Amino acid sequence: QRNVHGLVSYNAFVSTSKARDVAMFFLNPEDNETGVRSVFFEYTIDPSMSLPDFPPFADIQHISEIPEEQEV
């Protein structure tokens, strides 16, 4: 909770969906051998906070192999 309303940075792309149930489907239970857990992030993105030519997301549903996933 120390980073609530803070910056989130990744070194790679992440898979995101506008549909919560789709995101929850891809969560894996904890791996007991390694202790690895899935993490669910919920983003609220204010497009007015980004540069006009560089939005922080792209809706790719229209080019997706599985458009029902509503991936962004």
Side-chain angles (χ1 to χ4, degrees), residues 40-63:
F40 178 82
F41 289 99
E42 185 170 347
Y43 298 98
T44 302
I45 300 173
D46 181 354
S48 71
M49 299 294 291
S50 65
L51 298 172
D53 294 333
F54 299 99
F57 56 87
D59 186 342
I60 62 168
Q61 183 174 356
H62 63 285
I63 59 171

Side-chain angles (χ1 to χ4, degrees), residues 14-36:
V14 295
S15 180
T16 58
S17 174
K18 294 185 286 183
R20 182 185 186 97
D21 60 322
V22 170
M24 297 304 279
F25 174 79
F26 285 99
L27 286 177
N28 294 319
E30 181 175 352
D31 183 329
N32 290 329
E33 286 186 30
T34 64
V36 173

